Amino acid sequence: MEVVICSDEHEIARLAADRVVADVEGANRPILGVATGSSPLKLYAELASRVEAGDVDFSHGEAFALDEYVGLPPEHPQSYRHTIMRTVAQPLGFEGSRVHVPNGYTADLQGEAEKYDAAIVDRGGVDVQILGIGSNGHIGFNEPMSSLGSRTRVKTLTQQTREDNARFFDSIDEVPTHCVTQGLGTIMDAKAIVLVAQGAHKADAVAGMVEGPVTASCPGSILQLHPRVFVAVDEAAASKLQHAAYFRHAAATPLDPGV
Ligand code: F6R
């Protein structure tokens, strides 16, 4: 896991965007895994400016979202389909028909979840998955105690996640109780992962993900087993890392190509 401690959210966005662009380089049809939530918004804005500058092109690409609420119609402004179209697909130039979001508004949630995993495999897999992390260590909506090998399926949201997300709704009672989320096994199949986190409320989750034991108690810790993970965090989110000095040293000591 490559961890970079950044001075601010602009540096996070810039370094994370560098990595995303490098991870899709050469792909005629880049397959991007996309997260909702506040953490990657600056990264998406940075990627949009790279698209505008002609550094990267997603117009033939496909996007796969991590998750969706159960019970919100796709046109609901807080549905993740709506959010992904507004914050990612349109600014980055993805064609609407090539933006995939799990179906949380169907009688056959499990059948649709299985089709979702099959569609990712059919497109050749996700080239790079963008992630945030919940304050309880979740990635996607894989709440603590999710199976480390899980595939896309229905999950019950924790009360903490519903409270964290209540800011997007008029009241907590409107926050759905369930979601459909890519499983931890599905996320681990991505060829590369770029995770961004900001703020002191993410410090425990970041420390558990990077340095804690690999455990279902902190679902993000499964990423320790992935061979290509780039983590960009600010000082506050890095504040509980025991190995912060090593991460700073490694970032300041690039390999001399002549060696
Ligand atoms: C979003 C998602 C979640 C969020 C996490 C952090 O699709 O799956 O794992 O990344 O809850 O949310 P923010 O970024 O709003 O703090």
Side-chain angles (χ1 to χ4, degrees):
M1 197 179 277
E2 186 178 348
V3 179
V4 179
I5 302 171
C6 299
S7 51
D8 59 25
E9 56 189 3
H10 301 289
E11 189 181 15
I12 293 177
R14 190 168 47 75
L15 296 183
D18 287 348
R19 194 52 69 107
V20 171
V21 170
D23 283 334
V24 299
E25 200 174 2
N28 291 330
R29 215 180 51 169
I31 311 290
L32 196 61
V34 292
T36 53
S38 307
S39 307
L41 290 178
K42 286 239 159 19
L43 166 57
Y44 294 139
E46 178 68 25
L47 284 172
S49 64
R50 309 272 177 113
V51 168
E52 211 169 311
D55 298 341
V56 64
D57 178 8
F58 294 109
S59 60
H60 300 292
E62 304 214 17
F64 282 89
L66 280 173
D67 39 23
E68 177 60 285
Y69 289 120
V70 168
L72 292 190
E75 62 278 9
H76 189 291
Q78 296 309 330
S79 78
Y80 279 4
R81 168 163 290 282
H82 202 281
T83 306
I84 287 290
M85 290 307 296
R86 196 176 61 241
T87 61
V88 188
Q90 284 155 8
L92 270 57
F94 282 98
E95 199 187 284
S97 63
R98 292 202 282 262
V99 177
H100 311 273
V101 181
N103 188 348
Y105 202 63
T106 170
D108 182 15
L109 290 168
Q110 185 53 34
E112 290 293 319
E114 287 168 20
K115 280 191 211 159
Y116 196 72
D117 275 348
I120 296 174
V121 172
D122 180 64
R123 302 312 192 282
V126 168
D127 290 314
V128 52
Q129 173 67 56
I130 293 170
L131 291 177
I133 186 165
S135 56
N136 63 3
H138 73 215
I139 53 174
F141 272 144
N142 294 282
E143 301 286 30
M145 307 323 297
S146 293
S147 158
L148 297 179
S150 48
R151 314 305 305 182
T152 301
R153 75 239 182 270
V154 177
K155 284 296 288 181
T156 308
L157 296 171
T158 62
Q159 190 58 12
Q160 183 177 352
T161 297
R162 294 185 66 236
E163 284 166 16
D164 286 349
N165 288 4
R167 66 191 191 279
F168 298 114
F169 294 82
D170 288 338
S171 84
I172 188 158
D173 298 333
E174 290 180 21
V175 183
T177 52
H178 292 78
C179 64
V180 179
T181 179
Q182 284 191 30
L184 293 169
T186 319
I187 293 170
M188 287 290 285
D189 285 345
K191 292 165 197 152
I193 307 252
V194 170
L195 185 145
V196 292
Q198 305 91 351
H201 61 301
K202 299 291 175 74
D204 285 321
V206 167
M209 168 184 77
V210 175
E211 297 177 340
V214 175
T215 167
S217 300
C218 178
S221 64
I222 188 70
L223 299 178
Q224 291 175 35
L225 299 180
H226 194 289
R228 193 169 165 78
V229 179
F230 180 78
V231 176
V233 291
D234 65 8
E235 295 282 350
S239 59
K240 296 201 174 166
L241 288 172
Q242 304 282 323
H243 295 269
Y246 172 71
F247 296 129
R248 290 183 211 283
H249 169 67
T253 316
L255 182 64
D256 178 347
V259 172

